[in-house]
Amino acid sequence: MNNFQEKGSQSLEVLVTEIMNAYGTELSTLAFSYVKDIEASKDIVQNVFIKCFTHLDEFEGRSSIRTWLYRITINQCKDYLRSYYIKKVFLIGQVKEEITVHSPESITLQKWDEEQVVAQIMNLGKKYREVLILRYIQELEVREIAEILSISNETVKTRIRRGKNKLMPMLKGEFLYD
């Protein structure tokens, strides 16, 4: 019996609320990086927290709660992307990616450059995009990424290197200064 099974339902609700507050933003960013749709990513994160609430007593503690939530989020995103509806919508071209950048006059060139890098990362294939986001945006360690994605540390390192190699030509000419 783990620590979560010993707690009552009221304290379980408090624990899930704390988890939501601690990881909600991270999971939303992760979900958006997969589905590229703000509303869909919100729905996915909501489903993640529902799963967290209903299955927290089954959490064995072999990984951190963060890693467990990332794994659930990634699986939910993959399910969403595999769904018939979204495939149908993409195939008939009815979905248009709407990324609106509101740039007040005070945004510096460096901020613009960072946005360009993130935009180019989003154009990479999924296996490269996910490791680069987890490593450089979410700031996870290689071992954490390997655990989340159920791949070896070496595979993570290889995907990071290849993703960066694919990213470099995309970024040439994007920057206004060196």
Side-chain angles (χ1 to χ4, degrees), residues 131 142-143 146 151-162:
V131 294
V142 169
R143 64 176 172 69
I151 57 178
S152 72
N153 288 352
E154 292 306 313
T155 302
V156 171
K157 290 176 187 176
T158 299
R159 287 182 183 178
I160 290 171
R161 186 183 70 249
R162 289 179 182 168

Side-chain angles (χ1 to χ4, degrees), residues 7-48:
K7 299 182 184 229
S9 64
Q10 186 176 20
S11 60
L12 182 63
E13 290 174 13
V14 170
L15 182 60
V16 171
T17 301
E18 289 174 5
I19 291 170
M20 289 170 62
N21 290 334
Y23 300 107
T25 303
E26 284 182 55
L27 297 179
S28 294
T29 303
L30 178 62
F32 181 78
S33 74
Y34 271 83
V35 300
K36 297 182 183 182
D37 181 291
I38 291 172
E39 294 306 314
S41 63
K42 288 178 185 177
D43 291 341
I44 287 168
V45 172
Q46 183 177 4
N47 289 338
V48 168

Side-chain angles (χ1 to χ4, degrees), residues 40 56 65-66 72 75 79 88 110 141-142 157 163 175:
L56 194 57
I65 192 80
R66 181 182 191 202
I72 294 170
N75 287 338
D79 289 346
K88 180 179 173 184
Q110 183 177 4
E141 298 295 324
V142 169
K157 290 176 187 176
F175 300 101

Side-chain angles (χ1 to χ4, degrees), residues 97-138:
E97 189 173 316
E98 296 180 17
I99 298 178
T100 306
V101 179
H102 301 284
S103 37
E105 294 175 6
S106 64
I107 292 180
T108 63
L109 291 176
Q110 183 177 4
K111 178 69 176 166
W112 185 85
D113 284 348
E114 290 170 3
E115 290 171 359
Q116 298 309 307
V117 171
V118 171
Q120 293 303 327
I121 288 173
M122 298 303 262
N123 290 327
L124 291 173
K126 183 184 67 113
K127 71 181 182 180
Y128 301 119
R129 181 176 67 231
E130 69 187 354
V131 294
L132 291 176
I133 288 171
L134 292 171
R135 179 69 180 119
Y136 297 109
I137 297 175
Q138 298 297 329

